Amino acid sequence: MTAQTGLRRDPIAWLLFAVVWFSCGWFGSWEFNPNNATRMYAAVSLVEQGDATIDEYAALTIDRAQFGDHFYTDKAPGMTLMAVPFVALADAVTGDDAEFHRIRNEDPGFNRFIKIRVRLTAVFTSALFVAIAAMLLFDLGRGVTGSTTAGLFGALGYALGSIAWGWATTIFGHAASGAMLVIAVWAVWRGTRTPGGTRASIGYAAIAGLALGWGAVIEPPSVLEALPIGLWALWRMRGWAWAQRLPVMLAAAGVALVAVLPLFAYNAFAFGSPFQSGYAGVTDFAGMQQGFFGLTYPKPHVLWEIVFGPRRGILWVSPVLVLAPIGLAWLLWDRRYRDLAVLAIVLGILPFLYNAAYYYWDGGHSTGPRHAVPALGFLGLGLAGFWTLLRTPVGKLLAAQLLAVSIAINLMIASAEIAAPDFFDYAVWRAVLLERFAPGYLRTVADEWLGFTPWEGLGIWALVALPLLGLVAWLAWRADDGSVALSRQKAVRPE
């Protein structure tokens, strides 16, 4: 059965992983974006000075916290801690150190120093996690719908047809924490499909606990999404005997606890208390004093803006997602998958509500609603459900074309501008296409490191990625065609 297909030897899943990781890693965001830079400055300080202060870099970023006479990153430490080994590796290989440079954005040596470390970290954190999540979402969508092409449609809609692609080129926490949620849901689904569980259920529980715990270290608001995932896992195990349920629960809770400990360890090391947070010392954003670190309640007009508005609306940057609610409704109608559909709907809505409740809801310089990125994987599951409703080649062709348009939009975003300035009303049209993409202000591995022009760098991506995407689509179509043929043979086989 398709739902039982494994991943270890699945060429479709691994080719999908490869094309997504390559696509996310090939492009890069501006290393001195304050959100990138503040995390990297803290990582460099940890490696080279043995402390978490960013005093010498404080003038270069507005994303900072102050406690006493010292400045720190105001962000959760997850991305910074993951950057530490890559900073150490780059220092060791190049023999370079921040103290060898003038600490100024305009200094070419310092620019290159930071760029190398930001790019290396992004490739092996955000980009890698989104690629893993895409592969697992493909497996989940295929398992639920019984269709390989449906699983692929949902996974591509998430990974390349949405702003998850662009944010995966950064060391912002949105893409990485969103990927952790997808990984956790996949692990719970895999581990609880068999009544009473299997020997592997404890391993899947550990994966879920690790993903949820580390996701909270990357972005603490992901705890809001972790709670319904935990409740869903308990619901899935409701018929199990306690002897079967208890080891799985202990594995998930124990690993989650271990995974979240670095958050408290970092806070104690940096601020002297495990319960102190960088957000408490934010210096340049007075709105963070409202409510709970800037969170109050969801505003209807903001919710409208982040879904439909031309400045930050998700449907302007990822139009294929307009199909997701229909697919989620179809999954909700099917009793076999109703619990998963309810979870996907909750997880598809919560980040938008959180975004609408945040004082700085527009994300400052941002292409699309960046705080809602953790919802995208679950809207991708809705895309998989929608694909199964299509009964004619014309319908599938139209859906595929809408996905292609979304991929094209997000290719421009990922290559040119993931941080559209907040003063553009039509961000995709003006900030991305006219101001950055059309003039060729792109960032690719080829033009930044290998001496090619930006357009040549984009062409290299196309020469590699487009044939891979075509191959993945063809293999998925063949898999579904073979399944249909096998079903027909069984239907006419005499007893």
Side-chain angles (χ1 to χ4, degrees):
M1 234 182 119
T2 307
Q4 301 299 322
T5 301
L7 287 176
R8 290 184 182 179
R9 299 182 180 179
D10 184 348
I12 302 173
W14 286 104
L15 282 171
L16 172 65
F17 167 83
V19 73
V20 172
W21 193 17
F22 170 71
S23 296
C24 294
W26 188 250
F27 303 107
S29 61
W30 185 41
E31 58 276 3
F32 288 119
N33 179 295
N35 220 308
N36 274 332
T38 187
R39 291 176 165 94
M40 184 50 60
Y41 297 151
V44 170
S45 185
L46 286 168
V47 171
E48 297 182 357
Q49 299 177 16
D51 64 45
T53 64
I54 61 166
D55 296 337
E56 58 270 61
Y57 309 105
L60 306 183
T61 178
I62 57 174
D63 286 340
R64 60 193 181 187
Q66 184 173 9
F67 295 94
D69 296 329
H70 294 292
F71 289 94
Y72 304 82
T73 176
D74 62 351
K75 306 302 179 187
M79 298 304 296
T80 291
L81 294 175
M82 287 191 290
V84 164
F86 302 109
V87 171
L89 176 63
D91 283 7
V93 171
T94 64
D96 203 359
D97 193 292
E99 69 176 11
F100 300 154
H101 305 281
R102 292 184 301 165
I103 309 301
R104 297 174 56 186
N105 291 359
E106 310 85 45
D107 180 69
F110 184 64
N111 186 298
R112 184 177 177 83
F113 176 88
I114 294 296
K115 181 183 293 187
I116 289 172
R117 287 149 183 79
V118 169
R119 296 290 191 278
L120 195 60
T121 301
V123 167
F124 289 99
T125 58
S126 300
L128 178 61
F129 296 154
V130 167
I132 292 171
M135 180 170 66
L136 301 186
L137 183 62
F138 162 72
D139 186 51
L140 177 58
R142 175 180 59 181
V144 169
T145 64
S147 166
T148 304
T149 50
L152 182 61
F153 186 72
L156 287 176
Y158 155 66
L160 299 182
S162 81
I163 52 172
W165 183 359
W167 292 111
T169 69
T170 75
I171 59 172
F172 289 50
H174 311 304
S177 64
M180 290 296 132
L181 296 175
V182 173
I183 292 168
V185 169
W186 171 84
V188 172
W189 170 73
R190 274 282 186 177
T192 59
R193 286 185 307 167
T194 303
T198 65
R199 290 182 180 179
S201 294
I202 293 177
Y204 285 121
I207 292 172
L210 176 62
L212 293 178
W214 190 247
V217 181
I218 297 171
E219 289 286 346
S222 67
V223 171
L224 297 173
E225 288 86 31
L227 179 59
I229 294 174
L231 294 175
W232 175 64
L234 293 175
W235 172 261
R236 298 271 294 182
M237 296 188 293
R238 66 191 182 283
W240 297 15
W242 267 106
Q244 299 166 326
R245 197 185 319 175
L246 189 58
V248 174
M249 293 168 59
L250 289 175
V255 173
L257 179 60
V258 172
V260 82
L261 285 178
L263 172 64
F264 300 106
Y266 172 86
N267 288 341
F269 176 76
F271 312 121
S273 168
F275 304 107
Q276 180 66 280
S277 166
Y279 290 113
V282 170
T283 61
D284 297 293
F285 297 94
M288 294 293 288
Q289 306 305 317
Q290 295 198 15
F292 181 73
F293 294 130
L295 286 175
T296 52
Y297 61 91
K299 287 83 171 175
H301 74 279
V302 174
L303 195 58
W304 174 270
E305 287 294 329
I306 60 178
V307 176
F308 302 106
R311 187 158 71 99
R312 290 291 180 266
I314 190 66
L315 294 181
W316 288 82
V317 291
S318 308
V320 72
L321 295 181
V322 74
L323 308 176
I326 303 171
L328 289 173
W330 174 82
L331 291 175
L332 190 64
W333 186 262
D334 191 323
R335 290 184 178 181
R336 295 172 299 170
Y337 308 116
R338 188 165 293 166
D339 62 318
L340 177 60
V342 170
L343 178 72
I345 291 170
V346 170
L347 297 180
I349 291 175
L350 266 179
F352 282 94
L353 295 179
Y354 166 88
N355 198 159
Y358 189 40
Y359 182 87
Y360 297 105
W361 62 268
D362 65 353
H365 287 202
S366 171
T367 307
R370 62 184 177 92
H371 297 292
V373 166
L376 299 177
F378 306 101
L379 297 178
L381 185 60
L383 294 179
F386 177 84
W387 185 266
T388 63
L389 296 174
L390 302 173
R391 294 290 182 262
T392 66
V394 172
K396 292 181 178 180
L397 178 61
L398 291 174
Q401 288 176 337
L402 186 56
L403 174 60
V405 169
S406 291
I407 291 175
I409 291 172
N410 285 282
L411 170 62
M412 291 191 295
I413 293 170
S415 64
E417 186 59 273
I418 190 60
D422 54 7
F423 47 79
F424 286 108
D425 289 334
Y426 292 86
V428 173
W429 174 250
R430 294 200 55 198
V432 178
L433 178 59
L434 297 183
E435 298 286 333
R436 299 291 303 178
F437 187 80
Y441 298 132
L442 315 179
R443 296 185 180 94
T444 74
V445 169
D447 74 83
E448 290 189 320
W449 308 109
L450 304 177
F452 291 87
T453 68
W455 288 118
E456 288 170 341
L458 186 66
I460 293 171
W461 173 85
L463 287 173
V464 175
L466 295 183
L468 281 177
L469 284 170
L471 177 60
V472 169
W474 179 73
L475 289 173
W477 173 80
R478 250 187 59 172
D480 278 353
D481 197 46
S483 297
V484 170
L486 183 60
S487 299
R488 287 173 178 169
Q489 288 178 9
K490 289 180 178 179
V492 298
R493 185 177 297 160
E495 296 294 333

